[in-house]
Amino acid sequence: MARLILICLGILGIAGPNAAVAQDNLSARFKDWHTFCDKGRICDAYSYSDLASAQNPNVSHVFALRRHPNGGGWSMFITFDGVEPKLSLGLFASVIRMGHHDQEPIPSFWKESLVLRGGGPAHRLTGTYDLYLTGPSAETLMERLRLGDSLGFEFGGCRDEFLFAEFSLAGVTAALAWIDEVQGLPPGSTKVMHTPPGTEEGPFPNCDE
């Protein structure tokens, strides 16, 4: 009888804790934000900048937040398409809340809080760079994302350009809440990883330095 019960439970897919391992990838969209979780429940929330033009309709930077399900914190990074940021100039970030002008500025990201990785296996595109944002400025930014309407960055480029990247925050609160639920972690975490994954390979040279 006991053996028969185990066989029936196995057919129903509830025979034990290993049944939860064989889950599918999950994805969703919340206004301007997309989410994706793989089978291991490593999850991303990301949005695109509005840089498309008639001359180059495929150009768009990506702002992304990635988290493993172990509660270690978010990885925060921007994928720049066709632009190499000049780390020595740092990066200025701002969260804009429409109709509110009393927000304290976010402290600038200096070179020590930026980790640049060049186009790796995930991109395979010349001129694509992942810029990881770490440190206290990243956590301040994380604390304000859910309260803002838009996220802007000002930075220098390796060709001495002065550049901007702006992202809508419409849907970010729902996107992060969805990831909290999928990963079974407490809602509203603002912890940011101070050592981005993969940095043991060493940062790529910046501006051919």
Side-chain angles (χ1 to χ4, degrees):
M1 177 63 71
R3 183 179 180 185
L4 179 60
I5 293 173
L6 287 174
I7 292 173
C8 292
L9 289 175
I11 292 173
L12 291 172
I14 55 175
N18 291 334
V21 174
Q23 299 181 30
D24 293 330
N25 298 335
L26 298 175
S27 62
R29 181 169 181 177
F30 303 91
K31 294 185 180 178
D32 295 328
W33 279 74
H34 306 259
T35 57
F36 175 80
C37 295
D38 66 13
K39 293 181 180 180
R41 293 302 175 255
I42 299 172
C43 297
D44 289 352
Y46 58 97
S47 185
Y48 297 91
S49 65
D50 185 15
L51 291 181
S53 65
Q55 292 75 25
N56 192 351
N58 298 316
V59 170
S60 187
H61 305 326
V62 181
F63 179 74
L65 300 164
R66 176 173 297 157
R67 190 172 67 181
H68 290 67
N70 57 10
W74 297 96
S75 295
M76 177 185 295
F77 60 98
I78 314 168
T79 297
F80 290 112
D81 189 352
V83 171
E84 183 182 0
K86 193 170 185 178
L87 298 191
S88 59
L89 297 180
L91 182 84
F92 177 76
S94 59
V95 173
I96 298 171
R97 188 178 179 192
M98 302 304 180
H100 294 262
H101 302 285
D102 55 353
Q103 184 110 307
E104 289 293 323
I106 295 172
S108 297
F109 292 88
W110 302 115
K111 188 172 183 178
E112 295 73 21
S113 298
L114 303 171
V115 178
L116 186 69
R117 300 182 66 196
H123 308 298
R124 300 191 183 281
L125 297 173
T126 302
T128 302
Y129 300 89
D130 287 337
L131 185 66
Y132 286 84
L133 313 180
T134 67
S137 295
E139 294 200 352
T140 300
L141 178 55
M142 193 74 208
E143 290 169 359
R144 297 185 185 174
L145 283 180
R146 296 174 179 84
L147 303 176
D149 294 301
S150 66
L151 169 64
F153 295 98
E154 301 175 23
F155 59 100
C158 287
R159 299 176 182 175
D160 296 324
E161 316 101 313
F162 189 67
L163 301 167
F164 300 88
E166 186 168 332
F167 303 87
S168 168
L169 293 177
V172 67
T173 300
L176 297 179
W178 183 87
I179 290 178
D180 289 336
E181 183 177 352
V182 169
Q183 293 183 334
L185 294 174
S189 169
T190 59
K191 182 178 179 181
V192 178
M193 291 183 66
H194 286 245
T195 305
T199 53
E200 67 275 8
E201 302 170 7
F204 283 71
N206 183 222
C207 298
D208 296 324
E209 293 175 355

